[in-house]
Amino acid sequence: VIQSSGELLEILYKMGCDNDRDPWWWPQSGSFEVIAGAVLTQNTKWQNVEKALANLQNSDTLNLKDIASMPREKLAGLIKPSGFYNTKAKYLQNLCQNIQSGFGDFTSFCEGVSREWLLGQKGLGEESCDAILNYACYREIFVVDRYTHRLLSACGYEFERYEDIQQWAMETIGGYEEVFADMELAQVYARLHGMIVEYAKEDKKFTKIQEWL
DNA sequence: GGCCAGGCACAGC
DNA sequence: GCTGTGCATGGC
């Protein structure tokens, strides 16, 4: 079991001080790209998502309006490198259409959207919803993914449900407010989730973190 | 060639 | 409610 949650958080926080990255970790945070990325990255390496995003960018269609209105086959072709391209094309296009009809544009979407609305969209589960809320809309929500689950397991915790992990993470982070005093809470959540992902890519069993604790 | 990647929907218990 | 399966490409 983790000896000190604060120590773990500080380690992760320091790892996040990479000036080359988006300060919120997710590339192009605060923009529509996050929405597309959240769907495309499902069970897929980010490296392949980048190719799909680049295809959209190069055809000048990486925006709400064009994805909502282009032929689905065309969208599927553009996002092919990210895998599951038929289902993702359907989900992403449907989502963009619903955002347009429900909110109008990206800015209004971010102001007005709720977690419940997102969960009602096909193709968005809890992780994708929270990723959009935190990284696109800058809401105070911590994203839980496979890596977070694995990290806690490696440290001796036995969480099962998504919301249990999320609640634990947000309460724990809240208890170390002074450590992150120079950042907004939403950005702290964003950065820490990102660092868990980055760390896990290098050290899938979290052996280094376990050594430190 | 097998395995996994920044999940989710849907069927069948 | 929980578990299994399909979705599909690309890099190691």
Side-chain angles (χ1 to χ4, degrees):
Chain A
V1 176
I2 298 172
Q3 299 297 316
S4 161
S5 306
E7 191 183 353
L8 174 60
L9 294 178
E10 284 194 64
I11 290 166
L12 293 168
Y13 176 67
K14 283 174 190 161
M15 289 170 51
C17 298
D18 178 357
N19 291 328
D20 290 339
R21 272 209 92 93
D22 185 295
W24 290 70
W25 176 68
W26 195 296
Q28 303 301 312
S29 73
S31 78
F32 170 77
E33 272 201 49
V34 178
I35 296 177
V39 174
L40 297 179
T41 197
Q42 291 172 8
N43 206 39
T44 303
K45 273 198 168 132
W46 185 257
Q47 197 182 340
N48 294 331
V49 176
E50 282 180 329
K51 294 178 190 169
L53 289 173
N55 288 342
L56 291 166
Q57 191 81 65
N58 293 336
S59 61
D60 204 24
T61 53
L62 185 49
N63 61 72
L64 197 57
K65 191 164 67 74
D66 287 324
I67 291 179
S69 60
M70 82 169 79
R72 190 195 291 167
E73 299 73 36
K74 182 185 174 188
L75 179 57
L78 290 169
I79 65 173
K80 205 162 208 169
S82 72
F84 307 108
Y85 53 86
N86 285 318
T87 37
K88 284 178 180 175
K90 186 164 64 178
Y91 292 154
L92 180 58
Q93 184 162 63
N94 213 35
L95 175 61
C96 288
Q97 289 167 351
N98 290 343
I99 289 175
Q100 271 202 314
S101 59
F103 301 95
D105 57 17
F106 175 76
T107 305
S108 307
F109 163 79
C110 278
E111 286 168 4
V113 72
S114 67
R115 192 171 194 268
E116 290 66 38
W117 189 90
L118 286 170
L119 279 174
Q121 304 298 309
K122 285 213 192 291
L124 298 185
E126 293 186 290
E127 181 186 341
S128 304
C129 289
D130 290 337
I132 289 172
L133 288 171
N134 189 5
Y135 290 105
C137 308
Y138 293 152
R139 304 277 181 92
E140 292 183 355
I141 292 183
F142 185 83
V143 181
V144 177
D145 61 10
R146 224 178 250 174
Y147 291 137
T148 312
H149 196 292
R150 211 184 291 167
L151 169 64
L152 293 183
S153 298
C155 294
Y157 284 88
E158 291 179 2
F159 289 111
E160 297 293 334
R161 285 163 36 221
Y162 183 97
E163 62 176 294
D164 292 337
I165 300 175
Q166 187 173 50
Q167 193 181 2
W168 177 87
M170 290 171 73
E171 281 176 2
T172 304
I173 292 165
Y176 291 90
E177 218 173 317
E178 70 280 1
V179 176
F180 314 112
D182 58 332
M183 260 203 260
E184 285 180 29
L185 187 56
Q187 192 174 2
V188 174
Y189 290 153
R191 202 65 101 68
L192 288 175
H193 168 253
M195 290 316 101
I196 291 172
V197 174
E198 293 302 320
Y199 201 91
K201 284 188 202 169
E202 289 178 25
D203 183 12
K204 294 194 193 299
K205 294 187 175 174
F206 299 100
T207 49
K208 285 181 194 165
I209 282 185
Q210 288 188 83
E211 281 169 19
W212 289 338
L213 296 175

